[in-house]
Structures are given as C-alpha cells and as structure tokens.
Amino acid sequence: MKMIIDVRTREEFASGHIDGSRNIPIQEILEHVEEIKAIQMPIIFCCASGQRSGMAAQYFKEQGVKCSNGGGWRELQSSNS
C-alpha cells in the first residue's frame, strides 16, 4: 500500500486527481512536515509535470521519509490502472 500526495493547488486538484490521493499544495507542505513524516507507508508525490513533486520528494528524502516522485498525476494514474 502506498500514499499518494498531490502537491498541486486546490483548484488544480479539484479539476481532477487520482482517487484516494491526498492534496497538500506545495505552498503548504512545510506546515505538514511532522504529519507526512508520521505516515507509515511509502509516499508518492505527484503534481502536473513532476517539477513540484520532485521538490517535495527531494526534501522529504532528506528528512528520512521513504518517498518518490511520481511525476505528473495523469501519467501516474495511467500506470496505476
């Protein structure tokens, strides 16, 4: 089991997202550090193109969190179908 965190804006997320994913906009990610570090499963970050999710994944890897950059949510959704 994996947790998908979508770091796009709330508006982007509302226009379409992966079922079961959680929206934490990149602008708010630092407010959720402890909450994200407490997640007991691997985390996949996604966004529109992979740029913002790449920044989030790099930051949390440095914090010791087991995570990866899933890239764009549409491609990630296709690969999980």
Side-chain angles (χ1 to χ4, degrees):
M1 193 79 179
K2 295 183 179 175
M3 164 72 74
I4 298 173
I5 297 179
D6 189 322
V7 297
R8 296 176 298 148
T9 64
R10 295 188 197 297
E11 293 77 20
E12 287 175 295
F13 187 80
S15 71
H17 58 271
I18 297 171
D19 287 341
S21 63
R22 174 131 184 249
N23 182 221
I24 303 177
I26 193 74
Q27 300 89 333
E28 300 171 18
I29 204 96
L30 294 179
E31 299 167 24
H32 297 271
V33 170
E34 294 306 316
E35 176 186 341
I36 292 169
K37 286 169 87 173
I39 295 172
Q40 297 295 310
M41 61 183 83
I43 299 169
I44 300 173
F45 290 100
C46 68
C47 62
S49 68
Q51 185 174 358
R52 290 173 283 183
S53 55
M55 291 188 298
Q58 180 179 346
Y59 174 80
F60 283 100
K61 280 180 185 174
E62 292 170 1
Q63 301 296 312
V65 174
K66 187 174 181 181
C67 63
S68 61
N69 178 8
W73 75 273
R74 291 182 192 275
E75 292 78 20
L76 184 59
Q77 182 176 42
S78 296
S79 69
N80 282 341
S81 303

